[in-house]
Amino acid sequence: MQLHRFEFTQVRMGVDARIIVYAPDEERAVRACRAAYTRISELEQMMSDYRADSELNRLCQRAVGRWVKVSPELFSVLWRGQKLAQQTDGAFDVTVGALVRLWREARSTGKLPDEATLRAARARSGYRLMELSFQRRAVRLKTADMQLDLGGIAKGYACDNALRVLRRYGVPRALIQMGGDIVAGDPPPDAPGWRVELAEGGTTTLRNAALSTSGSTEQYVEIDGVRYAHIIDPRTGLGLTRLVLARVRARDGITADSLATAAAVLGEPDAKRLERLYKGAQVSVVSSN
Ligand code: AMP
Ligand code: MG
């Protein structure tokens, strides 16, 4: 059967979500990709920190001091995030939302938060302030006004979900990219894998694997000659000021995405420890000062 290449791009989770598939005809490709985008939209409604009515943001309001049951999807992403927080001593931490908000404010005002504001936001952050109950599939927050933020992990998970949908629609030869997160399924016909271009030059090949890039070079605000990246260093409460590019290849998108963000915070040589914790993951970090 002759397969043809189809490519689609739609904005999801604040980035271009690109899907490339090989399918026997356009109708099959469109049907499969439409279902994949619908799935990503559902996940966005669960996990967005921008939408006031997302499941995540409602959770932040309701779960202060009491258990709130959440969807299986939201729970599994929070669970993975919390596990990685424990493994990295909080370098990766989905409770940094209040600090992310301060960073966004700094980006628009060009000013760092004052000390008291920073201290208050730090008091509302920290993975130990979030409790998860596997039995109840529920979340409890220890402090009011916490902001959860899945920006470092949800896109990889969404790519994984999209690939699963495409397979279910009989289109397993697919590649999904959301910003710096890529998940590849079966390879294109007559190719060993999907050729992916790397930001620093060169290419790599992916099949049934994921590749994520994180770092301080894309999104940052410069204040008094210092660049603060959109990734928060929980040790300072501010954006990373080191120049760093972290890349992770792993078996699935949620792993690659979250480990890449964690690796950017950890830097060398600590990031390499992640390879021992996640079988099959390859972590590389390039940084300066
Ligand atoms: P990524 O581009 O995957 O590295 O994710 C960066 C995003 O993750 C940021 O825009 C924040 O939404 C979120 N984030 C920032 N700092 C952290 C952190 N230390 N741990 C987990 N997520 C973070
Ligand atoms: Mg990430």
Side-chain angles (χ1 to χ4, degrees):
M1 184 175 42
Q2 179 82 20
L3 294 176
H4 306 278
R5 184 184 191 278
F6 299 94
E7 178 168 346
F8 306 89
T9 302
Q10 292 188 15
V11 176
R12 291 290 186 285
M13 298 186 168
V15 297
D16 278 346
R18 189 154 74 107
I19 304 183
I20 308 170
V21 296
Y22 283 85
D25 54 66
E26 182 165 11
E27 195 195 323
R28 175 86 73 102
V30 166
R31 194 156 18 102
C33 291
R34 191 176 289 152
Y37 280 118
T38 300
R39 179 65 181 144
I40 298 174
S41 294
E42 289 166 4
L43 295 173
E44 185 172 12
Q45 182 57 29
M46 295 176 203
M47 302 184 192
S48 169
D49 62 289
Y50 280 94
R51 296 184 181 179
D53 66 342
S54 68
E55 186 184 4
L56 184 81
N57 278 341
R58 280 183 289 120
L59 176 69
C60 295
Q61 303 291 320
R62 294 171 51 226
V64 184
R66 64 188 183 101
W67 290 107
V68 172
K69 189 167 181 173
V70 298
S71 63
E73 293 91 337
L74 182 55
F75 190 80
S76 58
V77 173
L78 289 171
W79 185 264
R80 284 290 300 267
Q82 198 69 338
K83 182 170 126 190
L84 187 54
Q86 285 157 0
Q87 290 167 330
T88 60
D89 198 21
F92 185 89
D93 188 338
V94 299
T95 72
V96 294
L99 296 163
V100 172
R101 299 252 150 134
L102 287 187
W103 178 87
R104 286 182 194 153
E105 214 173 294
R107 184 178 51 178
S108 65
T109 61
K111 285 201 200 88
L112 288 181
D114 62 56
E115 233 173 85
T117 308
L118 183 60
R119 204 177 319 119
R122 296 190 72 171
R124 298 186 278 123
S125 307
Y127 70 96
R128 290 188 182 85
L129 299 175
M130 178 175 75
E131 299 172 278
L132 300 180
S133 164
F134 198 83
Q135 278 75 21
R136 301 177 212 234
R137 204 215 296 152
V139 181
R140 184 164 69 181
L141 303 174
K142 292 189 179 171
T143 306
D145 300 321
M146 285 178 70
Q147 179 64 53
L148 303 177
D149 184 320
L150 300 175
I153 185 170
K155 291 184 192 78
Y157 180 74
C159 291
D160 290 337
N161 272 256
L163 179 60
R164 207 169 311 134
V165 169
L166 295 171
R167 284 192 197 285
R168 209 178 331 117
Y169 276 76
V171 182
R173 295 183 188 275
L175 179 130
I176 302 114
Q177 172 171 25
M178 296 182 71
D181 302 300
I182 300 173
V183 168
D186 294 350
D190 309 321
W194 293 86
R195 254 166 66 103
V196 173
E197 301 206 359
L198 304 176
E200 69 274 25
T203 61
T204 187
T205 307
L206 274 186
R207 67 184 286 174
N208 295 313
L211 186 73
S212 286
T213 307
S214 262
S216 55
T217 51
E218 296 263 309
Q219 283 195 63
Y220 57 82
V221 50
E222 187 166 333
I223 299 171
D224 295 334
V226 180
R227 286 181 174 187
Y228 299 88
H230 71 307
I231 300 172
I232 303 295
D233 185 343
R235 288 164 291 206
T236 63
L238 299 170
L240 289 180
T241 53
R242 269 179 306 118
L243 208 58
V244 59
L245 185 76
R247 175 162 297 121
V248 176
R249 180 190 275 264
R251 78 172 106 189
D252 59 20
I254 191 172
T255 306
D257 186 1
S258 57
L259 293 196
T261 306
V265 179
L266 289 169
E268 291 264 54
D270 284 355
K272 274 289 184 191
R273 277 193 300 125
L274 295 168
E275 288 182 347
R276 267 178 272 138
L277 297 167
Y278 291 82
K279 233 182 118 196
Q282 288 169 256
V283 179
S284 76
V285 184
V286 185
S287 52
S288 71
N289 67 65

